[in-house]
Amino acid sequence: MAGNARTNTKSVISLILGILSIVIPTFGIVLGIIGLVISRIGIREIENLNENGRGLATSGFICSIIGIAINLFWILLAIWLFYSYSNPGQHIYS
């Protein structure tokens, strides 16, 4: 039965978006969010239609989460650096 089932397209798309969310800076956060949504939809379709690709959808979900976390870190770091160096006479810790 598993040999005749086809691979879910949304699971492949979610994996691609998850990988791109890790690689592409700043815009990757949007790709990661889209990847999360599509992977959840893909997992539901896989369960309902008995398709293959659950591992791909799960990998896409995990890559999307990692991509969002990395991009949030870089965005927050950039904001913090901009704030700390925009006023060189003032110290944050004093």
Side-chain angles (χ1 to χ4, degrees), residues 15-65:
L15 180 60
I16 292 169
L17 288 174
I19 292 170
L20 288 176
S21 71
I22 294 172
V23 175
I24 297 175
T26 311
F27 186 66
I29 199 164
V30 175
L31 295 175
I33 293 170
I34 295 170
L36 282 176
V37 172
I38 290 178
S39 67
R40 292 300 301 157
I41 293 171
I43 289 172
R44 286 191 198 123
E45 284 183 1
I46 288 168
E47 291 173 354
N48 292 337
L49 302 175
N50 228 5
E51 294 178 324
N52 292 331
R54 182 164 179 95
L56 294 172
T58 304
S59 300
F61 187 79
I62 292 170
C63 287
S64 295
I65 290 174

Side-chain angles (χ1 to χ4, degrees), residues 90-94:
Q90 298 176 352
H91 296 286
I92 296 173
Y93 303 110
S94 57

